[in-house]
Amino acid sequence: MNYKDYIKWERMPTNWCPGCAIGTVFKQTAFALADMDLAASDMTVVSGIGCSGRAAGYFNVDSVHVTHGRALPVAEGIKRANPKLKVIVFSGDGDLVGIGGNHLIHAARRDVDLAVICINNATYGMTGGQMAPTTPTGAKTLTSPHGSSYAPINIQGLITSNRRHWFARASAFHVAHLQRTIREAVEWPGFAFVEVMAFCVENFGRRLGFKSGHEMLVNLKEGFKPRSGPEGPLGPLELGVVKHDDQAS
Ligand SMILES: Cc1ncc(C[n+]2csc(CCOP(=O)(O)OP(=O)(O)O)c2C)c(N)n1
């Protein structure tokens, strides 16, 4: 199949702002699905609420756009009802890690066979750029005008605290790596979580002094690098995969 087959063209253009990172991740997901030649009838996409969550309506497959924070339990229900389906969750950090955080802990702990693509723009983008659990310390947001005084949640630590786990960090700039990572996540038989480092120019980036999506892309390019060592946890600015399969040995 061609990547264009996975997109609902009649819904274009998307409601994402010019320069938004979500479109890039959406397109790389379509590329990865085409690379796997996955039939639309063999997969489904589930999204929660938020700008990232709008993606469910743009994939040309059966998909569900569910209430805020509830993408994982709905995805799990679909997987349990039809285990042959590849179930992909495409949603934001606020949805998956903030309001849906408890579902995340337990879906990962139970190793539910889902591929989760989390757009981490470090804010609640759709509602105006409030501080999220992923917001870096010191970052100015709508609700932390003097800078966040909290440490961001350690998503990698949370996922990899489970004996069997698959966690990846990718970025909206490093697209070849992102596409390979999404493919590996969909193929992994268990809970696979891709943290995609992204950005929100309109509701977050401008407060930080960025003038365009391009400037924020350059920031990702300069900030994040592929992991330097082959094993072990990723450093905070490293991209790569951390996995452990205790069923394989
Ligand atoms: C139960 C509930 N609480 C709050 C909201 C308001 N709300 C809508 S989108 C959103 C933030 C989504 O943030 P994120 O998942 O990071 O997605 P982004 O928009 O940044 O892509 C919030 C808080 C809601 N719709 N429902």
Side-chain angles (χ1 to χ4, degrees):
M1 280 172 77
N2 188 284
Y3 87 93
K4 293 182 178 174
D5 299 332
Y6 297 95
I7 297 172
K8 273 194 185 128
W9 291 98
E10 68 275 19
R11 294 239 174 125
M12 298 294 119
T14 67
N15 69 338
W16 296 319
C17 303
C20 175
I22 305 171
T24 306
V25 185
F26 176 77
K27 193 169 176 186
Q28 292 304 323
T29 305
F31 281 145
L33 297 174
D35 196 33
M36 284 180 273
D37 210 20
L38 206 55
S41 54
D42 291 339
M43 59 175 285
T44 189
V45 177
V46 183
S47 293
I49 300 299
C51 297
S52 310
R54 298 303 292 254
Y58 298 136
F59 281 107
N60 192 22
V61 301
D62 285 339
S63 61
V64 205
H65 187 197
V66 307
T67 48
H68 205 7
R70 307 298 176 249
L72 289 173
V74 172
E76 178 170 357
I78 293 170
K79 183 71 189 178
R80 289 196 187 277
N82 187 352
K84 286 193 206 125
L85 277 183
K86 290 279 188 196
V87 182
I88 299 169
V89 174
F90 191 112
S91 214
D93 53 299
D95 186 74
L96 288 164
V97 187
I99 190 167
N102 205 35
H103 295 304
L104 177 61
I105 293 170
H106 296 289
R109 175 179 64 83
R110 287 185 278 106
D111 199 22
V112 183
D113 187 5
L114 303 173
V116 185
I117 302 167
C118 175
I119 312 293
N120 186 357
N121 57 14
T123 193
Y124 293 113
M126 179 175 266
T127 41
Q130 292 84 359
M131 183 173 66
T134 44
T135 302
T137 313
K140 290 182 182 171
T141 70
L142 186 68
T143 49
S144 60
H146 300 293
S148 167
S149 44
Y150 304 112
I153 191 165
N154 178 356
I155 308 176
Q156 173 181 215
L158 198 146
I159 303 290
T160 60
S161 67
N162 298 292
R163 190 166 154 66
R164 185 169 191 273
H165 57 254
W166 193 101
F167 169 86
R169 190 181 299 119
S171 111
F173 174 82
H174 303 80
V175 287
H177 173 260
L178 171 62
Q179 193 192 126
R180 278 199 311 276
T181 306
I182 291 171
R183 177 174 180 158
E184 199 178 322
V186 174
E187 289 175 343
W188 176 258
F191 192 82
F193 189 99
V194 186
E195 177 186 24
V196 187
M197 304 315 293
F199 52 83
C200 165
V201 62
E202 291 302 332
N203 287 333
F204 189 29
R206 292 199 191 282
R207 275 189 195 94
L208 303 175
F210 292 98
K211 293 189 182 64
S212 65
H214 176 257
E215 279 188 16
M216 298 200 82
L217 264 184
V218 172
N219 189 52
L220 282 183
K221 176 187 177 190
E222 288 169 359
F224 289 91
K225 299 286 172 230
R227 72 181 313 154
S228 42
E231 295 283 332
L234 297 167
L237 298 175
E238 280 185 331
L239 308 175
V241 177
V242 183
K243 60 184 169 183
H244 179 71
D245 187 357
D246 64 356
Q247 290 175 358
S249 52

